[in-house]
Amino acid sequence: MRSPLIALATLATLTLPACATAAPSPSQAASVAGEEAAQQRRPNIVFIMSDDHAYQAVSAYGGEIAQLAPTPNIDRIAREGAIFANSYVTNSLCGPSRATMLTGQFSHLHGFTKNGQRFDNATWNWVREIGAAGYQTALFGKWHLNYSPEGAGIQTWKVLDDQGKYYNPDIITPEGRSVVEGYATDLVTDFSIDWLEEERDPDKPFAILIHHKAPHRNFMPAIRHLQTYLGTEFPVPTNYFDHYDGRPAAAAQEMNIYADMYEGHDLHMTEEAGSNALRFDRWPDDFARMTPEQRAAWDAQMQPANDAVNEAGLAGRELALWKYQRYMKQYLATVAAVDDSVGRVLDWLEANDLSENTIVVYTSDQGFYLGEHGWFDKRFMYEESLRTPLVMRFPGQIAPGTRVEAPVQNVDYAPTFLDYAGIPARAAIQGRSLREVVDGEAPPDWREDIYYHYYEYPGFHSVRAHYGVRTDRYKLIRFYGDINQWEFYDLATDPGEMHNRIDDPAVQPIVARLQLRLEALRAQYRDSDGPAVSDPLTAAAKGRRDAEAAAGIAGHAH
Ligand code: SGN
Ligand code: CA
């Protein structure tokens, strides 16, 4: 579709100057045309990221839950390109993760270690760099690094305020803030497609960042998806009623579905049959900002199920199981809109002959718990939140159906985009270009293990600060701060991470080797935050007592 236009533009450059006084020589004209062609050939980048989307809820990853709630459009990226089977974050939290993707650095280097901090927009980021090299750059959706991307070098942007709201969200643009009526996932998609269609200069390559709020808390589906999973029973994770034995930090968290979720705000439960008044709703604004029509449509679809559970008068274990089902239904229904959005973007690329020369990436800012250990939220270095979905399509460069086994991390995105755009990597970047592994074969010096560091404590959900290493089989974690707790898991025999074997004499040689490895990784990435690996902090026994006391204080009913 675009090629005839380009041919015409080229013809114009070749013919028009003939009547001008300073007409270029034929060789100059040819080189201008060559540069234009090269410029045109640089791949476009469509970087789609959702917020808190668990890989367990992406059907391309093959899990049981996602088979009941498939994501055909995200899967299409995987089918026509690559799926990364071992994709991890460096710090499982929104702000730090986004800063890592922009800078290619671990949290301690870019400095954004916890939510609520302000990312210094002047910090180097790949979007500004690629823009300076001739790309058009745009960001629509969640930013969450401070008020707005003003000054971060992103040319066009329209962002959700802070975490973003599902219905009629506040939108911040260079002109200021306003409430825009609609459903966040659809609005972000509309903004993106409008820009692609109407505002972008078709003669330049582009990088567009489409960053959704969904499926982040408080899990409000679009009206059209409210009933999508109401009739589906999801398999309950085998460790839903976890005892947390031997894992005091896990026992002390406050992210339990049946103990910590807000019944109104998160689970959308009502006070009593016949009433649409929500149960405990810590932030009433999420519902209060719906229009009367939206709220009426919501109530019409949700009331029967809410009345039924109120009439049933469930308690204890039964109620805990019901809450898991409600959480899954709502969470997965918000994912359905994200998948619709991915479909709209892929279809738009196709219809505009842009599929071939465009890299499409879908990922999330981190993983999420879908009831494993009884949890929602993320933060822990356990598998479900350490991993994040990652699929990437680039026809002609990535063979359809590629499965990448090499461990990759979100520090790798910035160097990947620069690499494909033909811009030299920067020394300060700590990741490596994924181009090196997308043929399914990792180079011999590719990383064999990954490093992780979580900081936000005290904070939401009370997850202790920790760092650790994960190899292809083992995981060693150290929780620190008001506790000093080491954990060791053999993922081959204990994929659910239920048995902390740190004191098991049989694994001491492996633990010792991993401690050295952890020390080496901290040195390699220049992370001196938190205690040194060799630092006993306080006596281990005291640390454990503190941790167990802390776990007691949390007082969950299990
Ligand atoms: C909010 C959520 C928390 C969540 C953090 C961080 N509460 O505070 O549950 O852990 O965001 O999420 S909410 O009810 O206000 O949504 S993150 O994705 O931004 O890291
Ligand atoms: Ca997030």
Side-chain angles (χ1 to χ4, degrees):
M1 218 181 186
R2 298 240 174 259
S3 22
L5 281 178
I6 294 158
L8 272 181
T10 312
L11 196 67
T13 353
L14 287 173
T15 51
L16 281 178
C19 53
T21 41
S25 67
S27 71
Q28 278 173 322
S31 90
V32 169
E35 270 170 36
E36 277 180 7
Q39 176 87 339
Q40 191 59 33
R41 271 196 310 273
R42 289 197 288 171
N44 305 305
I45 296 166
V46 175
F47 178 28
I48 310 174
M49 180 161 66
S50 52
D51 190 354
D52 293 358
H53 192 179
Y55 72 91
Q56 311 91 293
V58 174
S59 38
Y61 279 94
E64 250 186 300
I65 289 172
Q67 303 316 308
L68 295 169
T71 49
N73 292 300
I74 297 171
D75 293 7
R76 184 172 149 201
I77 302 175
R79 201 174 51 246
E80 295 172 359
I83 185 162
F84 293 79
N86 296 295
S87 153
Y88 305 100
V89 293
T90 47
N91 178 0
S92 188
L93 196 62
C94 177
S97 214
R98 283 158 207 267
T100 287
M101 289 184 210
L102 285 167
T103 60
Q105 295 181 328
F106 280 75
S107 316
H108 59 280
L109 280 200
H110 59 61
F112 197 109
T113 55
K114 308 169 185 175
N115 277 348
Q117 293 176 334
R118 286 182 73 82
F119 179 68
D120 178 0
N121 277 339
T123 310
W124 180 90
N125 74 64
W126 70 267
V127 189
R128 186 193 341 252
E129 177 101 12
I130 215 171
Y135 272 69
Q136 295 166 88
T137 60
L139 161 72
F140 300 103
K142 187 163 168 179
W143 172 248
H144 201 218
L145 291 175
N146 47 38
Y147 180 76
S148 79
E150 189 73 56
I154 298 169
Q155 295 158 9
T156 305
W157 50 269
K158 244 186 201 185
V159 296
L160 295 161
D161 183 23
D162 194 42
Q163 291 284 6
K165 300 288 180 191
Y166 279 102
Y167 282 86
N168 313 331
D170 278 40
I171 298 291
I172 298 167
T173 70
E175 286 74 49
R177 171 208 293 262
S178 60
V179 173
V180 179
E181 191 173 325
Y183 183 69
T185 309
D186 299 339
L187 289 174
V188 168
T189 316
D190 294 343
F191 299 158
S192 303
I193 290 180
D194 286 353
W195 180 79
L196 286 166
E197 186 112 20
E198 285 156 26
E199 284 181 47
R200 133 196 108 84
D201 172 356
D203 294 330
K204 284 185 177 175
F206 65 85
I208 182 172
L209 283 64
I210 307 174
H211 288 185
H212 294 292
K213 184 244 171 15
H216 187 271
R217 195 179 190 180
N218 67 334
F219 321 114
M220 290 175 78
I223 299 293
R224 69 180 180 283
H225 290 130
L226 274 173
Q227 301 214 354
T228 304
Y229 301 118
L230 279 194
T232 311
E233 280 289 295
F234 292 94
V236 182
T238 51
N239 57 3
Y240 186 56
F241 294 102
D242 194 347
H243 45 67
Y244 311 123
D245 289 351
R247 290 158 293 146
Q253 50 56 49
E254 293 171 5
M255 46 189 261
N256 193 287
I257 293 169
Y258 36 99
D260 302 307
M261 263 189 163
Y262 303 131
E263 293 184 334
H265 180 69
D266 294 318
L267 292 164
H268 317 146
M269 298 170 75
T270 49
E271 279 178 359
E272 55 187 353
S275 161
N276 72 348
L278 291 164
R279 291 195 186 191
F280 185 62
D281 187 9
R282 181 160 170 188
W283 292 283
D285 181 49
D286 294 85
F287 278 90
R289 63 197 300 136
M290 294 172 99
T291 63
E293 296 73 30
Q294 288 166 343
R295 185 61 201 263
W298 176 285
D299 289 342
Q301 300 197 59
M302 295 300 291
Q303 201 68 41
N306 280 333
D307 285 352
V309 68
N310 282 325
E311 276 155 11
L314 304 179
R317 197 180 164 89
E318 268 188 328
L319 182 60
L321 289 168
W322 184 90
K323 285 183 175 180
Y324 167 75
Q325 296 296 340
R326 170 56 68 90
Y327 165 43
M328 285 299 91
K329 293 173 202 314
Q330 302 302 83
Y331 177 97
L332 293 164
T334 70
V335 168
V338 173
D339 194 68
D340 289 350
S341 167
V342 172
R344 281 180 63 193
V345 172
L346 294 179
D347 289 349
W348 186 89
L349 291 172
E350 187 90 55
N352 290 276
D353 273 349
L354 285 168
S355 291
E356 289 303 308
N357 196 34
T358 300
I359 299 165
V360 180
V361 170
Y362 180 84
T363 188
S364 167
D365 61 345
Q366 11 72 199
F368 214 65
Y369 294 94
L370 301 184
E372 302 86 358
H373 306 283
W375 297 341
F376 66 106
D377 215 69
K378 52 266 177 175
R379 301 162 191 269
F380 279 103
M381 198 193 162
Y382 304 132
E383 289 298 277
E384 294 82 3
S385 49
L386 173 63
R387 290 176 178 269
T388 200
L390 179 64
V391 293
M392 183 160 124
R393 182 184 85 174
F394 189 9
Q397 299 276 330
I398 302 176
T402 301
R403 185 178 167 90
V404 178
E405 296 290 343
V408 304
Q409 278 189 287
N410 51 0
V411 277
D412 299 329
Y413 302 178
T416 304
F417 295 138
L418 292 188
D419 188 7
Y420 278 121
I423 300 168
R426 292 169 48 96
I429 289 181
Q430 297 184 298
R432 281 175 73 163
S433 170
L434 297 174
R435 198 177 185 172
E436 300 184 60
V437 296
V438 289
D439 59 358
E441 289 285 318
D445 63 346
W446 191 261
R447 70 172 75 83
E448 287 181 354
D449 45 25
I450 58 132
Y451 177 63
Y452 181 85
H453 197 159
Y454 171 80
Y455 297 78
E456 193 181 280
Y457 181 80
F460 260 108
H461 304 295
S462 287
V463 176
R464 269 41 183 195
H466 56 288
Y467 58 61
V469 53
R470 187 206 193 279
T471 70
D472 59 354
R473 174 161 179 186
Y474 302 112
K475 193 181 289 182
L476 180 73
I477 312 175
R478 184 205 207 152
F479 292 90
Y480 69 86
D482 59 357
I483 68 174
N484 180 30
Q485 174 70 36
W486 287 88
E487 296 188 6
F488 171 84
Y489 299 96
D490 180 348
L491 299 167
T493 56
D494 180 22
E497 296 161 295
M498 296 291 286
H499 307 289
N500 172 17
R501 293 177 62 192
I502 195 71
D503 295 325
D504 180 348
V507 300
Q508 293 316 305
I510 309 170
V511 170
R513 180 163 59 74
L514 284 181
Q515 279 181 328
L516 288 178
R517 187 62 199 135
L518 189 53
E519 210 158 21
L521 282 168
R522 283 173 57 80
Q524 176 191 332
Y525 292 125
R526 289 175 285 137
D527 185 5
S528 55
D529 288 349
V533 171
S534 56
D535 179 355
L537 250 190
T538 53
K542 178 181 178 303
R544 193 156 306 181
R545 264 206 320 278
D546 290 351
E548 275 158 9
I553 291 163
H556 293 311
H558 301 305

